[in-house]
Amino acid sequence: MFVLRYCVCVSVSLLVALAYEASVTAQTTSSLNQGADELKSEPRVSELKQLEETSVKPDTEGVTPSNQENTVVREQAVPPQPISPTNFQESLQPSETILEKLPPNNLNPSGNPLLFPTKPDEVKTNVRQAISLKEVIALALQHNREVQTARTTLEELQAELGVARAELFPILDIETSLVRFRNDRVFGGGTDLLGNVLGPEVTSAETFTDARASANLTYDIYTGGGRSARIERAERSVRRQQLEVEVIAERVRFEATDNYYLLQNADAQVAIRQADVENASQTLRDAQLLERAGLGTRFDVLRAEGDLATANEQLTRAIADQRTARRRLAETLSLGQQVELSAADEIAESGIWNLSLDETIVRAYKNRAELEQRLIDRELGENDREIALAEIRPRVDFTANYDARENFDDGVPVLTDWTFQARVRWRIFDGGRAFEGARRAERRMDRANLEFANQRNEIRFEVEEAYYNLIANKENIDSTRKNVATFDEALRLARLRFQAGVGTQTDVINAQRDLSGARGRFLQAIIQYNQSLNALQRAVSNFPDDRLFETP
């Protein structure tokens, strides 16, 4: 009778514990089912919570289920659009209207490039701004120091071109002078050799004013081809720097876009790690309840506490990586010292590449500025050769001189002189300097030819690598999306089995890890797809209108 009464009490206590657990499980199950339904469609990353000030501790009190793990991915409302000249231009070309929408004086850096902060408040990040990819590209092309330096160098070379073109015109010098002259002479006075007195001293003064003016005109009629070669060289240098501005702008756009995707990835990792913390908290709560009911062991509780501590460590690391990604993006945009950025766009496929691999390679050969730069380097070598050989070719120059002189005190009219001179100069021997200079320029031409071939091969490799990665990441998106839904359902079933006493805690932990890994792989596949698409756009450059970034 005593044994029967003891069994009844134990059964009642187990029923009460299981009833309490069932209520908690019902809420969690409905939330997880909703997340599984959302994962069957095209998911996206939602806006992330700020986790920097709080962290989950291994305590059962105050730990409530959150739907954060189910809001990590959401349904994509708009399918990815193909990359076409219209939407690509609208999405990537910098626009002044984009910059006008940004908060004034918040993201703009200081106008003083020599700014050197000396106080902690001057570097404290107190300006936090959510920014989209379009705004990132616009700010990068406007504020990036490399782009500004390249444009400044272009202006310098344009000034050098003006100096070279000035040789086409004669040089005219004008000189004037005005001289006031006085000459005092003394006559008489003193004694001669015999001691006779010569007479009183007489002083005579002579004064005159002299004005002179001269004009000298010099013009090089023929310079042996050196002048035209210098002008052509300056023009090609300007063109090469224009292409360099385009190359740097393309690289900055690529780096800014890639850093934005890295920031999105960091934000997603924070959300995933937070979901891991919540799952570990749920597992710990289940283990403690089963231990109280006599169906679990202390070992299961300790293991759950360890898993929760590991999840918190990974969350802390993810938050640190997120802060680093924010600072890296701000550095690429050359923003102010007090700015901290966050990603406003959700993670989604940014487009579809419609060109085949062969068409993409040919388009890259046509558009890449680096290939034209190598051709210009060859032309610069030709100009250097002409400049060197011009030193041993005949030169013809012309000089005209006009002089005018007027003495206002002698009553003579203005005296004028005219001089015209044509001179031919031919350097017969210079010790071989000209030929050696020409030979050096020819070697530069040969090097430019080799660099062109090497650049062409590099461009093809960049296109093929980005193209193959794009295809692989596209396929990974489809497969990882299905894995997320599968492992989400597996975790739900493993937790129900564990709560019912027919499963083990190891099954729940393994299911949590599988789900966390699947979510991470899914988001990583989307981000890597966008990065591959960004790399492919950079490899093709200027796609699709052949003039995406206009040089000044």
Side-chain angles (χ1 to χ4, degrees), residues 75-92:
E75 182 179 2
Q76 179 175 331
V78 181
Q81 298 294 327
I83 297 296
S84 62
T86 303
N87 59 35
F88 186 85
Q89 179 74 11
E90 292 176 355
S91 62
L92 294 183

Side-chain angles (χ1 to χ4, degrees), residues 321-362:
D321 293 340
Q322 182 188 50
R323 292 172 176 174
T324 303
R326 290 176 177 177
R327 176 44 51 188
R328 183 188 299 111
L329 180 60
E331 190 275 335
T332 302
L333 304 184
S334 298
L335 300 182
Q337 296 284 328
Q338 300 176 330
V339 176
E340 184 180 66
L341 301 177
S342 61
D345 295 342
E346 295 183 349
I347 296 179
E349 299 176 40
S350 57
I352 300 175
W353 193 264
N354 286 330
L355 297 180
S356 65
L357 178 60
D358 298 337
E359 294 173 340
T360 305
I361 294 174
V362 174

Side-chain angles (χ1 to χ4, degrees), residues 86-108 129-143 253 260 333 335 344-345 548-549:
T86 303
N87 59 35
F88 186 85
Q89 179 74 11
E90 292 176 355
S91 62
L92 294 183
Q93 186 167 10
S95 175
E96 295 181 358
T97 57
I98 294 177
L99 299 176
E100 292 175 357
K101 297 179 181 179
L102 296 176
N105 302 326
N106 280 356
L107 300 181
N108 294 329
Q129 177 69 38
I131 190 170
S132 65
L133 179 58
K134 292 182 180 180
E135 296 168 344
V136 164
I137 295 175
L139 287 172
L141 297 179
Q142 183 182 25
H143 296 306
R253 182 201 63 81
Y260 189 83
L333 304 184
L335 300 182
D345 295 342
L548 181 58
F549 297 111

Side-chain angles (χ1 to χ4, degrees), residues 313-442:
E313 293 175 3
Q314 294 176 348
L315 175 61
T316 304
R317 182 71 264 170
I319 293 175
D321 293 340
Q322 182 188 50
R323 292 172 176 174
T324 303
R326 290 176 177 177
R327 176 44 51 188
R328 183 188 299 111
L329 180 60
E331 190 275 335
T332 302
L333 304 184
S334 298
L335 300 182
Q337 296 284 328
Q338 300 176 330
V339 176
E340 184 180 66
L341 301 177
S342 61
D345 295 342
E346 295 183 349
I347 296 179
E349 299 176 40
S350 57
I352 300 175
W353 193 264
N354 286 330
L355 297 180
S356 65
L357 178 60
D358 298 337
E359 294 173 340
T360 305
I361 294 174
V362 174
R363 183 64 64 89
Y365 286 160
K366 292 180 179 179
N367 291 346
R368 285 293 290 268
E370 291 88 339
L371 291 178
E372 187 177 349
Q373 281 183 317
R374 302 291 83 78
L375 296 177
I376 292 178
D377 290 338
R378 189 181 189 281
E379 295 174 352
L380 290 176
E382 295 177 353
N383 297 139
D384 291 336
R385 181 179 59 183
E386 290 297 318
I387 293 173
L389 294 177
E391 296 296 326
I392 58 174
R393 293 172 181 170
R395 292 171 173 264
V396 180
D397 59 67
F398 172 79
T399 302
N401 183 267
Y402 171 78
D403 290 323
R405 178 179 177 182
E406 169 64 17
N407 191 334
F408 295 98
D409 299 321
D410 60 1
V412 180
V414 178
L415 301 178
T416 58
D417 294 326
W418 290 88
T419 303
F420 299 95
Q421 178 183 3
R423 184 179 63 174
V424 178
R425 182 175 63 86
W426 193 350
R427 180 172 296 174
I428 303 300
F429 180 73
D430 66 345
R433 295 183 181 88
F435 289 107
E436 291 300 323
R439 189 166 67 91
R440 180 178 57 185
E442 290 173 354

Side-chain angles (χ1 to χ4, degrees), residues 183-232:
N183 185 13
D184 293 334
R185 298 181 181 181
V186 180
F187 302 95
T191 58
D192 58 9
L193 297 176
L194 300 177
N196 299 322
V197 179
L198 298 179
E201 295 181 354
V202 179
T203 303
S204 175
E206 182 181 4
T207 304
F208 64 88
T209 302
D210 184 63
R212 295 185 179 184
S214 65
N216 186 70
L217 185 143
T218 304
Y219 181 68
D220 294 329
I221 299 176
Y222 178 69
T223 62
R227 176 174 54 195
S228 59
R230 285 189 291 270
I231 294 176
E232 290 179 1

Side-chain angles (χ1 to χ4, degrees), residues 264-283:
Q264 285 184 324
N265 183 42
D267 292 342
Q269 292 301 320
V270 170
I272 291 173
R273 298 309 173 191
Q274 185 187 24
D276 292 343
V277 170
E278 294 174 352
N279 288 332
S281 301
Q282 177 68 27
T283 301

